Structures are given as C-alpha cells and as structure tokens.
Amino acid sequence: MATTPVLERADLRGRDRAATRGLPYNRADALWALGLALLVVATRLPFRTRMLFNWDSANFALALSQFDVSQHRPHPPGYPYFVAVAKGLHLLGLDPNTSLVLVALLLSAGAASALYLLGRAVYGPAVGVVASLFLVF
C-alpha cells in the first residue's frame, strides 16, 4: 500500500520539529544556560543581605544549630534539604546568614538554567530564553 504525499510531508514536518526542539542539547544550549545562571548571580549578589532581617530568617539561622519544625526552626514544612545544604556551608566556616543567602543564590541560578533547558526542550530556544529571563528579572 503506497503512502500519500500528504502523510509523507506530515512525517517530515514532525521530524524537523523534533530535531529543533528535542534533546540532546548542544554547546550553545550549555552556554545559554551558563549565561543565564551568571546573570542571576550578577543581579542578585549586589543586593544580598548582610544580616538576618526578619522572623523567618532568624528561624532559619536557628535551624542550622538545631533543626526542629515543632519549635518553628524553621517554620513548617521545614525545608530540610535547604537547611542541610546551608548547614554544610555553615560548618565550612560561613556565618548563618551568608550560608543561607549563598544556597538561595545557587538555587536561583540553577532554576534559571533549568527553566531555559525545559522551555527549549518543550517549545524551542526562544521560549526557553524568554521564560528564563522572566525568572531572572
């Protein structure tokens, strides 16, 4: 049974679309992801806090020495992975505020990169960049 030209064109369009939006990522994608992560660091670093400034930040700092959600160190749900990574930085000699700010900064940079890669994989590179820039700014 012969295929119709319409079906052949549809298959070709589908393959082209998959090649431009699907995996694997290339070097340009890695550079975009890295650049967006660096943009996050550049826009967040000048505005980092130098001291604990409210109730929640003090509770997160207390959680670095004694994690207990029942005593709101930190408030529920507790964010155990966030606190564990910050505690690791605190054990390396950083003060509690710097540890917490650095973890938040690194997670924001990772989120911008991941959002670019997700947007690129699903809808294309332009959508990945725009979505990531919305997160950055």
Side-chain angles (χ1 to χ4, degrees):
M1 175 185 231
T3 59
T4 63
V6 174
L7 290 177
E8 289 173 7
R9 281 185 296 201
D11 288 342
L12 181 62
R13 275 185 272 136
R15 275 182 290 177
D16 288 345
R17 195 175 325 128
T20 59
R21 289 195 303 185
L23 296 176
Y25 298 108
N26 56 27
R27 179 175 286 181
D29 294 326
L31 290 175
W32 270 105
L34 179 64
L36 289 163
L38 292 175
L39 185 62
V40 167
V41 172
T43 57
R44 306 280 196 286
L45 204 55
F47 302 106
R48 70 188 183 279
T49 63
R50 306 224 189 290
M51 65 179 143
L52 301 169
F53 63 93
N54 67 12
W55 176 296
D56 283 340
S57 61
N59 285 341
F60 272 97
L62 289 172
L64 298 182
S65 61
Q66 182 185 3
F67 184 87
D68 187 1
V69 179
S70 68
Q71 294 182 2
H72 284 249
R73 294 182 187 172
H75 58 76
Y79 311 98
Y81 298 119
F82 183 83
V83 173
V85 173
K87 184 171 178 107
L89 292 175
H90 180 60
L91 292 174
L92 291 175
L94 297 176
D95 65 286
N97 185 61
T98 303
S99 300
L100 292 164
V101 168
L102 187 59
V103 171
L105 181 74
L106 293 175
L107 289 173
S108 294
S113 295
L115 188 60
Y116 164 72
L117 294 173
L118 176 66
R120 184 234 180 248
V122 176
Y123 295 108
V127 172
V129 170
V130 170
S132 187
L133 287 175
F134 273 123
L135 181 68
V136 170
F137 294 108

